[in-house]
Amino acid sequence: MGIIAVLLFSSKLIGGPFHVPFWVVIACHAAMGLGTLFGGWRIVNTMGMKITRLKPIGGFCAETGGAMTLFLATALGIPVSTTHTITGAIIGVGAVRKLSAVRWGVAKNIVWAWIFTIPMSALVAAFTWWIIRIAF
């Protein structure tokens, strides 16, 4: 929401004092809601069942460890990804039980998805910019 508003403001598409337009708020809420609706259970299933089988105490430990890591990183001013943090915590909980409790193939696929996300989003952004440039 903030990034979209800053881009609109810096390109002078919204004027006056800086504010986040209501339509940006609604669009971002809708995108997050639809993403959760269509992909949320799959992510929860992968994180809680496919990487390693989490029991309630393991889930509590992973969430607590992830939260402490995020608080520490925030206090130190270090930018971190909450997704990467909780995934690492879940893998840590599984590895503490025993190393074979972690499905390392699933973990490897998640890491590859993280690596490919940045260049693929750059390609989509470049393609979108090119289409809009031609159309307008």
Side-chain angles (χ1 to χ4, degrees):
M1 203 172 349
I3 293 172
I4 294 169
V6 167
L7 288 172
L8 290 169
F9 185 76
S10 64
S11 62
K12 299 191 183 358
L13 293 173
I14 55 174
F18 178 78
H19 69 284
V20 179
F22 185 67
W23 68 267
V24 171
V25 174
I26 295 300
C28 289
H29 286 325
M32 289 172 42
L34 289 170
T36 302
L37 175 68
F38 292 110
W41 176 247
R42 185 171 173 219
I43 292 167
V44 168
N45 188 39
T46 298
M47 299 296 277
M49 302 301 270
K50 288 188 180 175
I51 293 176
T52 188
R53 284 229 179 243
L54 279 182
K55 294 182 178 168
I57 189 71
F60 174 79
C61 292
E63 289 289 337
T64 303
M68 290 187 327
T69 302
L70 291 170
F71 280 127
L72 179 64
T74 301
L76 296 174
I78 302 169
V80 294
S81 164
T82 55
T83 305
H84 294 100
T85 303
I86 193 62
T87 303
I90 290 170
I91 290 171
V93 166
V96 164
R97 248 188 0 232
K98 64 181 183 177
L99 285 175
S100 62
V102 177
R103 292 185 184 95
W104 294 104
V106 173
K108 182 181 80 169
N109 290 342
I110 291 170
V111 171
W112 276 113
W114 291 340
I115 291 169
F116 286 126
T117 297
I118 293 173
M120 292 310 293
S121 54
L123 285 173
V124 169
F127 180 71
T128 303
W129 178 83
W130 182 70
I131 293 295
I132 290 172
R133 187 166 177 236
I134 289 174
F136 300 102

